[in-house]
């Protein structure tokens, strides 16, 4: 090799290497695309790559204007403020970055909006089914694990590892859900959780639950990825069902790609030493609370491996709000469940809710605020209380009513707590938008809490499916899945039997269920199907009566129908004179028992079997 050749090679490298480096200067753009014709004209692009923040950017595309380039502490980031005119057409936008004589170009797509259903919302007419996709059904064993992910494990024998359930498997069982009477499916989060195993109390655990996002713009490959999610939503819609997306704004996984190279220190809530949230809601509504108690509740980290996002940072806020809109538009989901709602910055939540409702006026938003009293619960939804801060969240998960129903059945054998909880509905602007439930993936399973008493099981489900609000049922409740979180939450997150090839039992079929499991399934199916087709029950007004002799009676009614629910939680047959219910029974002389199809020809006095809730369609 001659000196002359080496010299020419050195010159070539001097010229080419900067070009190669510049070519890598833009590695990611979020949002990954946008759409023309959106009501929100402004989009802020997060641009990331080595020295991306040192480039001078230009965009030349009809209807798209680069208003401002924002640089931050980390020179690897630029935030580009765009406005998209109503006249803009779909196409490929060229984003040009320059540095000296060098130029790099990246493309970013503006898409046409399609006419597929999206943001349809859920209402009292719906019945939501909550499932963990990793534990429901495995339709594609080929995506069970990937060697290039931080957690390459898959082992159904280990309760803490991933088990391989996916969106394709869930799609294959849509007919089962439709037959059950389900009208909406809510999955725990489906977004990428490329997290390593975490050591929790000496046990290595996978993030199969989905609450540690590592990339908001990718659905986890182990669930099938973005296309599988789109396909699932489309199939659910074709089957007449809606899809609820589980959103997390408060935190991300500690291996989120942004956290590997933070744009700025204030992207997260920072403390001199690690500070956990207190998990206490009282400082938020307490007019006498100290600022430090409020700060610890709101800005403390949920757990050490889920870093807490600072939503008061405008770049963080834009990032999260735009992703919410992008998800609804891209995947076509219908409703938005928000994890750890009470730990978020509430002014931010109002802005995010407003942005979603502006684009999708029918979308329903309901957050998780795990509180134990009506006043605190009302704080996080549209309410009638004179709080200094007013939430605009349309709905929320009704933890108060859950506790009232389950604890009433568990301890006292009475509906008194349920009556008292509903008697305080005046604090909410619209209590019918609350999502009701008996258990979930974070709680002991309902059947176990009530001592595996089948009569109590039916009473609680009757209340759930006949009282006000939007009912939600945790997967497997219809086949009597049970267990307590003690010793671990994996005990209440077991695989649905029959969801995996080779399972010894297939509870998706009547033949695979025991006689009592089939009785439970048919009970839920009968009541859910009736509820779906009778507006008086799912959307009518609610009137309840004071308990007498521990008997609880309420009515759902509209101009076209009246349904009477009469509960006898005692262990003896009870006689119920109905004269005091004349306000609602006037004009009716008989009834049909919705669950047995039996006709009762005289409703002046009813016989209530022990530990039973009757659902009666009143007739003239």
């Amino acid at each position: 090799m001659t000196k002359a050749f080496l010299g020419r090679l050195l010159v070539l490298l001097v010229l080419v290497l900067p070009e190669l480096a510049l070519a890598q200067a833009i590695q990611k753009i979020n949002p990954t695309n946008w759409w023309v014709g959106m009501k929100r004209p402004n989009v802020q692009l997060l641009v990331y790559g080595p020295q991306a923040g040192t480039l001078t950017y230009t965009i030349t595309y009809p209807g798209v204007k680069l208003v401002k380039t924002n640089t931050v502490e980390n020179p690897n980031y630029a935030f580009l403020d765009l406005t998209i005119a109503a006249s803009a057409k779909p196409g490929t936008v060229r984003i040009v970055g320059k540095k000296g004589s060098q130029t790099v170009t990246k493309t970013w797509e503006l898409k046409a909006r399609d006419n597929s259903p999206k943001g349809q919302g859920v209402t009292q007419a719906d019945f939501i089914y909550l499932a963990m996709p990793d534990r429901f059904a495995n339709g594609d064993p080929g995506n069970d694990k990937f060697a290039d992910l931080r957690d390459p494990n898959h082992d159904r024998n280990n309760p803490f590892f991933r088990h391989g359930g996916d969106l394709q498997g869930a799609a294959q069982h849509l007919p089962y859900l439709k037959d059950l009477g389900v009208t909406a499916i809510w999955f725990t989060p489906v977004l990428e959780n490329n997290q390593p195993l975490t050591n929790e109390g000496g046990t290595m655990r996978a993030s199969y639950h989905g609450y540690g996002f590592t990339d908001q713009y990718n659905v986890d490959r182990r669930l099938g990825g973005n296309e599988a999610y789109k396909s699932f939503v489309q199939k659910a819609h074709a089957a007449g069902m809606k899809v609820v997306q589980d959103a997390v704004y408060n935190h991300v996984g500690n291996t989120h790609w942004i956290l590997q190279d933070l744009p700025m220190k204030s992207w997260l809530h920072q403390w001199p030493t690690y500070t956990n949230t207190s998990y206490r809601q009282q400082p938020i509504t307490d007019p006498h609370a100290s600022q430090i108690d409020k700060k610890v509740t709101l800005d403390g980290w949920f757990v050490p491996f889920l870093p807490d996002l600072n939503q008061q940072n405008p770049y963080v806020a834009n990032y999260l709000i735009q992703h919410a809109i992008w998800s609804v538009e891209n995947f076509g989901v219908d409703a938005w469940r928000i994890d750890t709602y009470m730990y978020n910055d509430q002014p931010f939540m109002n802005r995010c809710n407003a942005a979603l409702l502006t684009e999708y006026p029918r979308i329903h938003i309901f957050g998780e605020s795990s509180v134990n009293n009506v006043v605190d619960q009302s704080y996080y939804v549209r309410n009638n209380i004179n709080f200094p801060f007013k939430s605009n969240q349309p709905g929320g998960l009704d933890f108060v009513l859950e506790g009232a129903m389950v604890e009433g059945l568990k301890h006292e054998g009475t509906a008194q707590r349920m009556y008292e909880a509903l008697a305080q509905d005046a604090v909410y602007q619209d209590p019918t938008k609350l999502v009701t439930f008996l258990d979930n993936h974070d709680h002991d399973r309902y059947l176990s809490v009530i001592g595996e008493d089948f009569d109590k099981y039916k009473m609680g489900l009757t209340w759930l499916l006949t009282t006000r609000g939007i009912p939600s049922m945790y997967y497997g409740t219809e086949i009597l899945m049970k267990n307590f979180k003690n010793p671990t939450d994996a005990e209440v997150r077991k695989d649905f039997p029959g969801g995996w090839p080779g399972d010894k039992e297939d509870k998706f079929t009547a033949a695979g269920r025991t006689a009592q499991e089939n009785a439970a399934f048919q009970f839920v199916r009968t009541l859910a199907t009736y509820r779906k087709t009778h507006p008086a029950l799912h959307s009518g007004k609610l009137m309840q009566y004071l308990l007498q002799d521990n008997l609880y009676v309420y009515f759902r009614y509209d101009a076209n129908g009246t349904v009477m629910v009469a509960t006898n939680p005692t262990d003896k047959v009870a006689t119920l004179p109905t004269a005091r219910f004349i306000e609602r029974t006037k004009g009716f002389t008989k009834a049909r028992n919705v669950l047995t199809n039996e006709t009762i020809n005289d409703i002046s006095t009813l016989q209530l079997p022990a530990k039973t809730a009757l659902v009666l369609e009143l007739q003239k």
Side-chain angles (χ1 to χ4, degrees):
M1 191 177 293
T2 66
K3 280 187 174 182
F5 177 78
L6 288 173
R8 289 195 298 273
L9 181 60
L10 181 60
V11 170
L12 183 63
L13 289 174
V14 168
L15 293 173
V16 170
L17 285 178
E19 294 291 340
L20 292 174
L22 188 61
Q24 298 299 314
I26 302 178
Q27 296 178 352
K28 280 184 178 285
I29 298 177
N30 285 168
T32 53
N33 68 276
W34 207 249
W35 294 266
V36 297
M38 302 290 282
K39 294 177 184 176
R40 180 185 177 94
N42 303 317
V43 180
Q44 184 175 84
L45 301 186
L46 180 155
V47 180
Y48 174 74
Q51 300 297 304
T54 67
L55 303 181
T56 300
Y57 291 92
T58 57
I59 292 177
T60 304
Y61 188 90
V64 178
K65 181 181 180 181
L66 173 57
V67 177
K68 184 180 180 182
T69 298
N70 302 281
T71 57
V72 293
E73 294 167 21
N74 188 335
N76 295 335
Y77 288 87
F79 292 84
L80 309 185
D81 292 340
L82 310 185
T83 58
I84 301 173
S87 59
K89 304 296 183 185
T92 300
V93 178
R94 295 173 69 249
I95 299 173
V96 178
K98 291 186 176 182
K99 187 173 185 180
S101 61
Q102 301 172 55
T103 301
V104 62
T105 300
K106 282 288 184 179
T107 58
W108 182 74
E109 190 173 2
L110 265 182
K111 296 184 177 182
R113 301 182 76 180
D114 60 45
N115 294 320
S116 62
K118 53 181 72 75
Q120 299 177 99
V122 290
T123 70
Q124 286 195 105
D126 288 301
F127 176 31
I128 303 172
Y129 191 88
L130 165 61
M132 304 192 83
D134 181 68
R135 303 297 166 93
F136 190 59
N138 188 354
D140 181 8
N143 63 25
D144 287 354
K145 61 180 181 179
F146 294 90
D148 62 334
L149 294 180
R150 292 184 177 93
D151 172 15
N153 299 285
H154 165 264
D155 184 359
R156 286 187 71 199
N157 293 318
N158 188 323
F160 306 108
F161 281 16
R162 289 182 179 268
H163 290 183
D166 53 33
L167 293 160
Q168 184 172 318
Q172 290 168 355
H173 291 93
L174 284 170
Y176 166 84
L177 296 175
K178 188 174 181 66
D179 181 55
L180 183 61
V182 169
T183 66
I185 302 98
W186 157 24
F187 289 129
T188 55
V190 299
L191 300 187
E192 179 191 278
N193 272 225
N194 187 12
Q195 290 273 92
L197 295 175
T198 56
N199 189 332
E200 300 178 46
T203 302
M204 301 305 293
R205 303 189 184 201
S207 61
Y208 64 86
H209 47 71
Y211 289 97
F213 297 170
T214 53
D215 188 340
Q216 273 89 342
Y217 286 89
N218 282 318
V219 170
D220 202 291
R221 279 188 276 161
R222 288 159 292 199
L223 300 181
N226 287 14
E227 291 308 311
Y229 192 32
K230 281 186 181 180
S231 175
F232 176 83
V233 173
Q234 290 167 358
K235 289 175 180 177
H237 286 168
M241 287 183 271
K242 302 168 185 176
V243 178
V244 180
Q245 181 155 320
D246 205 325
V248 186
Y249 299 134
N250 181 68
H251 51 259
V252 292
N254 58 2
T255 55
H256 191 289
W257 73 266
I258 292 180
L259 270 59
Q260 307 314 299
D261 189 19
L262 274 176
M264 62 205 81
K265 186 178 180 181
S266 64
W267 194 266
L268 301 175
H269 284 130
Q270 303 283 357
W271 295 82
T273 57
Y274 175 76
T275 301
N276 208 90
T277 179
S278 64
Y279 305 118
R280 300 293 295 274
Q281 84 267 10
Q282 290 87 353
I284 308 306
T285 53
D286 177 8
H288 316 294
S290 68
Q291 288 303 311
I292 187 58
D293 285 345
K294 290 182 180 180
K295 183 174 177 60
V296 169
T297 294
L298 292 173
D299 297 354
W301 290 22
F302 199 69
V303 290
F305 53 86
L306 295 177
D308 212 67
L309 295 173
N310 176 16
Q311 296 146 353
Q312 292 181 340
N313 180 319
Y315 299 108
V316 175
N318 280 336
Y319 189 82
L320 295 173
I321 291 171
Q322 290 175 167
H323 173 257
I325 296 170
W326 182 90
S327 289
V328 178
E329 191 68 25
N330 191 59
F331 297 118
V333 297
D334 301 293
W336 205 245
R337 182 266 186 185
I338 303 172
D339 182 64
T340 53
Y341 194 93
M342 64 176 275
Y343 300 104
N344 291 285
D345 178 72
Q346 292 305 304
F348 158 78
M349 286 310 316
N350 272 9
R351 295 198 303 277
C352 192
N353 295 340
L356 279 169
L357 289 164
T358 296
E359 290 289 349
Y360 312 100
R362 295 172 57 197
I363 197 169
H364 191 51
I365 304 168
F366 60 98
E368 174 201 39
S369 299
S370 183
V371 301
N372 57 12
N373 66 84
V374 168
V375 171
D376 279 340
Q377 184 162 278
S378 70
Y379 178 83
Y380 298 100
V381 301
R382 292 171 179 162
N383 60 70
N384 296 318
I385 298 180
N386 189 27
F387 290 120
F389 170 81
K390 298 296 286 185
S391 175
N392 68 357
Q393 185 182 205
L397 283 159
D398 197 341
F399 282 85
V400 175
L401 189 59
E402 179 216 18
M405 292 189 293
V406 175
E407 291 301 311
L409 288 171
K410 175 184 176 182
H411 295 300
E412 298 93 345
T414 178
Q416 181 62 32
R417 291 195 188 194
M418 180 180 175
Y419 172 88
E420 291 172 357
L422 294 169
Q424 299 175 74
D425 271 359
V427 301
Y428 310 109
Q429 284 192 15
D430 189 351
T432 69
K433 293 183 180 296
L434 296 176
V435 173
T436 56
F437 61 103
L438 295 167
D439 62 358
N440 61 30
H441 56 289
D442 291 324
H443 290 192
D444 297 328
R445 277 197 174 264
Y446 166 62
L447 183 65
S448 294
V449 172
I450 58 172
E452 300 183 29
D453 186 316
F454 192 55
D455 290 325
K456 288 184 177 181
Y457 167 88
K458 292 189 289 184
M459 270 195 288
L461 280 165
T462 299
W463 294 344
L464 178 71
L465 288 167
T466 59
T467 194
R468 66 98 175 106
I470 307 166
S472 171
M473 187 179 73
Y474 189 37
Y475 80 97
T477 299
E478 75 278 15
I479 57 162
L480 303 178
M481 286 181 73
K482 59 187 179 182
N483 270 340
F484 294 96
K485 289 179 64 178
N486 184 15
T488 70
D489 52 19
E491 296 300 310
V492 300
R493 301 172 179 179
K494 290 185 177 294
D495 298 345
F496 194 108
W500 278 253
D503 277 1
K504 292 181 181 179
E505 298 176 315
D506 184 0
K507 306 294 185 183
F508 285 109
T509 66
R513 298 190 287 262
T514 67
Q516 191 170 52
E517 288 167 352
N518 270 318
F521 179 91
Q522 288 301 328
F523 180 86
V524 174
R525 181 180 182 272
T526 299
L527 193 50
T529 301
Y530 178 84
R531 182 182 185 280
K532 181 167 58 175
T533 55
H534 288 75
L537 183 56
H538 65 61
S539 300
K541 293 180 179 179
L542 169 67
M543 181 178 290
Q544 62 176 354
Y545 286 77
L546 286 167
L547 277 70
Q548 288 188 0
D549 299 322
N550 208 18
L551 305 182
Y552 177 46
V553 176
Y554 60 90
F555 294 81
R556 299 299 302 274
Y557 61 99
D558 62 16
N560 299 309
T562 298
V563 175
M564 177 182 185
V565 180
T567 305
N568 173 19
T570 72
D571 57 5
K572 296 180 180 180
V573 175
T575 299
L576 178 69
T578 62
R580 78 180 181 111
F581 312 124
I582 190 65
E583 187 176 357
R584 291 269 56 86
T585 59
K586 185 177 181 179
F588 298 107
T589 59
K590 58 184 181 177
R592 182 175 77 86
N593 186 319
V594 169
L595 292 167
T596 65
N597 207 30
E598 172 194 7
T599 297
I600 300 172
N601 290 313
D602 181 4
I603 63 168
S604 60
T605 301
L606 298 174
Q607 297 299 310
L608 304 185
K611 296 169 71 174
T612 299
L614 295 184
V615 183
L616 305 176
E617 180 186 293
L618 301 190
Q619 299 175 342
K620 296 181 179 180

